Amino acid sequence: MYDIKALYEAESVQDAIRLLQEHPEAQILAGGSDVLVQIREGRRAGVELVSIYMLDELRGVSIDEEENIRIGSLTSFSHITKDPIIQKYINVLGEAVDMVGGPQIRAIGTIGGNTCNGVTSADSASTLMAWDAIIELTGPEGVRRVPIKDFYIKAKVVDIRPAEIQTAILIPKESYDRCFGHYIKYSMRNALDIATTGCSVNVRLSDDKKTFERVRIGYGVAAPIPCRAYTAEAFLNGKEINDENIKKFAETVLEDINPRDSWRAGKALRQHISVVMAERALRESIRLAGGVVNE
Amino acid sequence: MSKQYKVVHCTINGKEVEQIVDVRASLTDMLRNDFRLTSVKKGCEVGECGACTVIIDGEGFNSCIYLAVWAEGKEIWTLEGLTGPGGELSDIQQAFIDEGAIQCGFCTPGFIMTSWEIVNSGKEYSDDELRKLLSGHLCRCTGYENIFRAVKKTMLRHLGKFEEAEKVNSQGIADYPEPMPFM
Ligand SMILES: Cc1cc2nc3c(=O)[nH]c(=O)nc-3n(C[C@H](O)[C@H](O)[C@H](O)COP(=O)(O)OP(=O)(O)OC[C@H]3O[C@@H](n4cnc5c(N)ncnc54)[C@H](O)[C@@H]3O)c2cc1C
Ligand code: FES
Ligand code: FES
């Protein structure tokens, strides 16, 4: 038995908003792989919950009329990985969420929960940052869209207003068109372990595959919230694909990231692996995009 | 707050059921207490060990971090549903016995449910893929190799590859080279 004060089950998005307005103390329950565990641990014991888990309207991946990839917030990790639209346009996201926990966690965990928890180690976060995802929120005042970099405010705090719920994550066409990316999760175990640091890179190459048209790199656990390494990106954009530029790019990430010491790993280790991961993820992205690295 | 209850309709092991549940109950609580399906184990109760794994609409879930009320409209399978009408064991259960994949047995029902999903998928997974698919379970006794072998052999048999299944050796690897003389 969970220590739950009351459970309100939403029957639609509008119903969820109404329930959240009626019960301002209540917390949103999606898949529960954070919330229910924290109730067991006592950290969230005695809470009121608004369950949105049964809202199938928030599940699934589609291409909307603006040609955005639209990922319903309740889509589970396992369904994201299996989805043909994800595999075709942003395969790296499917690969990244396939590294969350173990298979049963990926069946219950949702991408909405993975972003709304505001956790820097969330395995989807660095990739969503690196692909300039847009967060769609629905609340009493209607629908609003927030770029993911503004959605994260500080550790465990995101821009969700009272009675709002996250309804979708959008990847604009400009962001996914001709883009190829790779995610590396560095952790002590291959399963059921949180990332020490995670790094997601994607590239768009010129038509002759000789220069970087656009490079983006996102990190988890390189700062209190998921972040980008904009200085390193700016350095590489428009540059020729060669060893020297790749190495310089990887070293430059240290100007942007700000990892800290924790019981999982020290700052020096995180800095070191961040550079190594940047280089490796970039090389793999180039390969996926059909480019070759000139010595 | 006074106790809050809800009626849930679902299919458990092929049988349609209706049950009044406390909204605070996990699916583990409901399956064990209301339906006496005690193959569903209470291990860590926080989603880490897989002892409580059941199949919901074709996919393995940890029933400990799943609310009983979410079972509404779902098709659920537990280990009890795998045996025949006279209690005959299914092939995956028999394989766990034959391969010595059970010691204390606490992790076994959960492992078998995930294995059942694997062997009924009609797919032939590589060794690495199999290990990843089984990685949501902890076993404190067997050291995993025997479990791995039971699953791999049953998967191959389901695909009609009986000879290959027999060749799966103690390392669980079908075409493992002969051991080096110094080993
Ligand atoms: C054993 C185990 C291993 C794990 N391993 C990993 C791992 O390797 N990598 C990783 O990234 N995570 C991991 N997790 C954490 C967890 O699975 C993820 O964070 C998951 O994505 C949370 O999603 P959920 O739907 O279960 O969220 P919930 O627990 O339901 O919610 C999480 C938070 O987000 C809020 N929320 C959820 N959905 C919405 C919404 N639509 N709108 C507004 N607010 C919302 C909730 O109020 C809550 O604060 C693990 C968890 C467990 C139990
Ligand atoms: S008891 Fe459910 S995962 Fe351990
Ligand atoms: S047989 Fe004892 S835990 Fe696996």
Side-chain angles (χ1 to χ4, degrees), chain A residues 45-247:
Chain A
V47 286
E48 289 178 67
L49 297 172
V50 170
S51 165
I52 58 170
Y53 187 69
M54 300 300 260
L55 302 184
D56 284 338
E57 59 199 276
L58 296 181
R59 288 197 167 85
V61 181
S62 57
I63 303 272
D64 71 11
E65 56 283 6
E66 297 165 41
E67 292 188 78
N68 301 312
I69 298 170
R70 182 185 172 85
I71 308 169
S73 291
L74 282 182
T75 315
S76 67
F77 296 128
S78 59
H79 288 211
I80 289 174
T81 303
K82 272 190 280 196
D83 190 87
I85 293 174
I86 298 288
Q87 289 174 358
K88 183 166 175 199
Y89 296 108
I90 178 169
N91 193 40
V92 56
L93 182 63
E95 289 175 347
V97 300
D98 200 37
M99 295 180 200
V100 172
Q104 300 99 308
I105 297 296
R106 296 193 285 271
I108 192 72
T110 69
I111 193 149
N114 207 228
T115 43
C116 291
N117 64 11
V119 170
T120 183
S121 62
D123 277 304
S124 66
S126 42
T127 299
L128 293 174
M129 283 292 280
W131 291 67
D132 294 304
I134 309 282
I135 304 294
E136 182 193 273
L137 298 146
T138 307
E141 263 101 67
V143 179
R144 68 184 177 107
R145 289 179 177 182
V146 186
I148 189 158
K149 67 173 177 28
D150 301 327
F151 181 66
Y152 285 102
I153 296 171
K154 58 179 187 179
K156 300 194 179 158
V157 180
V158 292
D159 178 15
I160 302 179
R161 295 177 190 159
E164 261 185 349
I165 64 172
Q166 190 203 87
T167 37
I169 296 178
L170 310 173
I171 313 288
K173 174 150 196 209
E174 208 291 305
S175 180
Y176 66 78
D177 195 28
R178 296 190 294 122
C179 259
F180 297 86
H182 186 62
Y183 173 68
I184 299 175
K185 174 177 183 172
Y186 184 98
S187 55
M188 300 303 143
R189 295 179 89 243
N190 288 335
L192 288 159
D193 197 4
I194 298 297
T196 304
T197 302
C199 173
S200 188
V201 173
N202 64 84
V203 300
R204 183 189 282 165
L205 304 182
S206 60
D207 289 339
D208 63 4
K209 314 260 184 224
K210 289 210 159 48
T211 50
F212 294 106
E213 214 173 280
R214 182 182 65 191
V215 177
R216 294 175 295 182
I217 176 165
Y219 280 101
V221 212
I225 52 176
C227 69
R228 287 271 288 269
Y230 292 113
T231 316
E233 291 176 13
F235 162 77
L236 206 54
N237 287 339
K239 291 252 170 31
E240 190 193 326
I241 303 175
N242 62 36
D243 245 12
E244 195 191 328
N245 285 336
I246 291 172
K247 289 226 151 65

Side-chain angles (χ1 to χ4, degrees), chain A residues 1-2 7 40 78 98 104, chain B residues 4 24 29 59 64 132:
Chain A
M1 239 19 115
Y2 283 98
L7 179 80
R40 283 254 201 262
S78 59
D98 200 37
Q104 300 99 308
Chain B
Q4 206 187 333
R24 302 168 301 168
D29 293 328
E59 218 180 335
C64 69
K132 187 170 179 189

Side-chain angles (χ1 to χ4, degrees), chain A residues 12-25:
Chain A
S12 65
V13 171
Q14 286 313 316
D15 190 38
I17 293 166
R18 181 186 60 78
L19 286 167
L20 286 166
Q21 284 179 305
E22 276 174 26
H23 308 282
E25 299 292 309

